[in-house]
Amino acid sequence: MSESIEQWLESIGLGEYTQQFTEQRITRDILPDLTEQDLEALGLPLGDRKRVLRAIASLAPPAASQPATPLAAPSGSATAADAGQLRHLTVVFIDLVGSTALSAELDLEDYKNLIHSYHDTCARLIAEHRGYVAQYAGDGVLAYFGYPHAHEDDPERAALAAVAILRAVPGIGDDRTGALAARIGIATGEVLIGGLVYEGIETIRAALGEIPNLAARLQTLANPGEVILSAETHRLLGNAFVCEDAGRHVL
């Protein structure tokens, strides 16, 4: 049985809002479409709106939580949950600049809190632009625009989220860390979406193919505070953004 909206709200400690969600016929499949403005209209205060958006950003699609057929994998190995589906995605890879040095300079508790704040900031802004956080990998954040719900303007949403993140990350720092910065790579194209299973348990919904790798490589070319786009992403954005040519690179 799929998780009800009441169960989901209880799981994130906000069960007191069940009545508002129920009265507006908001079910679990509607959650990825909610914006901060929607939540404000429901009467949620600022802090709880942020908590809901953060939870939505890491929400697995309903189909991912309960595969129709049990899957087995040899011990210690990973396999695809199913044949997967081809999707046209814009993939965003975000990196926190200088995090390795910070991990040596800060005590572990302070460093953990810093990374937590960074993840929260990225997740909130990705959710506000209808993206999906696919994975956290240390100081890296991988996000999809166009999954699980596709929009005609997904590349533009991805670029807007990226710019918002670049503007927000410096505010996470303090006197000990100095001004922080992120760098971001964005690529758009066809990927194969499938659940990765480890010892019978689905871990992430992975986008397989050239595009996620390209986004990660483009991120390494970016200077602190920059976004590097693939040629296809740039083409799809049209005149929506002013961009500069980053030159030709062998990746």
Side-chain angles (χ1 to χ4, degrees):
M1 181 181 296
S2 61
E3 185 181 38
S4 69
I5 193 67
E6 179 180 4
Q7 291 170 326
W8 183 78
L9 287 168
E10 289 287 351
S11 72
I12 62 173
L14 298 174
E16 66 267 30
Y17 300 116
T18 298
Q19 183 176 350
Q20 291 98 309
F21 278 66
T22 303
E23 287 177 350
Q24 296 300 319
R25 298 186 180 180
I26 298 172
T27 52
R28 192 182 185 280
D29 60 305
I30 300 296
L31 290 174
D33 294 325
L34 294 179
T35 65
E36 182 160 3
Q37 291 72 26
D38 295 331
L39 296 173
E40 185 175 10
L42 286 172
L44 276 67
L46 178 61
D48 288 344
R49 294 200 300 271
K50 301 304 183 186
R51 292 184 181 91
V52 170
L53 289 172
R54 186 172 65 205
I56 290 173
S58 58
L59 188 67
S65 59
Q66 289 190 338
T69 305
L71 298 164
S75 178
S77 67
T79 185
D82 48 41
Q85 53 179 308
L86 289 174
R87 297 287 292 262
H88 197 268
L89 292 190
T90 295
V91 178
V92 179
F93 196 96
I94 309 159
D95 177 66
L96 182 63
V97 178
S99 63
T100 301
L102 287 172
S103 69
E105 295 169 5
L106 301 176
D107 66 49
L108 288 178
E109 188 66 22
D110 289 340
Y111 182 69
K112 182 196 75 172
N113 292 335
L114 171 68
I115 295 299
H116 185 70
S117 296
Y118 160 68
H119 284 167
D120 281 354
T121 298
C122 291
R124 173 175 57 82
L125 294 171
I126 289 165
E128 286 180 2
H129 292 87
R130 309 291 180 87
Y132 170 72
V133 176
Q135 188 179 12
Y136 298 111
D139 63 348
V141 179
L142 178 65
Y144 304 154
F145 288 80
Y147 179 86
H149 301 289
H151 308 87
E152 290 185 0
D153 58 348
D154 279 319
E156 184 172 343
R157 291 172 183 272
L160 286 169
V163 171
I165 289 167
L166 291 184
R167 291 173 175 169
V169 165
I172 299 172
D174 56 26
D175 292 340
R176 294 167 303 166
T177 64
L180 300 176
R183 57 187 181 190
I184 302 175
I186 304 178
T188 303
E190 194 171 63
V191 304
L192 183 68
I193 288 281
L196 290 188
V197 171
Y198 184 81
E199 294 187 346
I201 300 175
E202 187 172 38
T203 56
I204 61 172
R205 301 297 287 181
L208 306 177
E210 175 188 8
I211 300 305
N213 295 331
L214 179 57
R217 294 294 184 91
L218 291 174
Q219 171 269 132
T220 65
L221 297 176
N223 293 317
E226 281 188 350
V227 181
I228 299 288
L229 310 172
S230 71
E232 177 63 8
T233 304
H234 179 250
R235 183 187 71 80
L236 292 170
L237 288 177
N239 296 321
F241 292 81
V242 177
C243 302
E244 296 179 1
D245 191 342
R248 297 180 65 85
H249 301 269
V250 178
L251 302 177

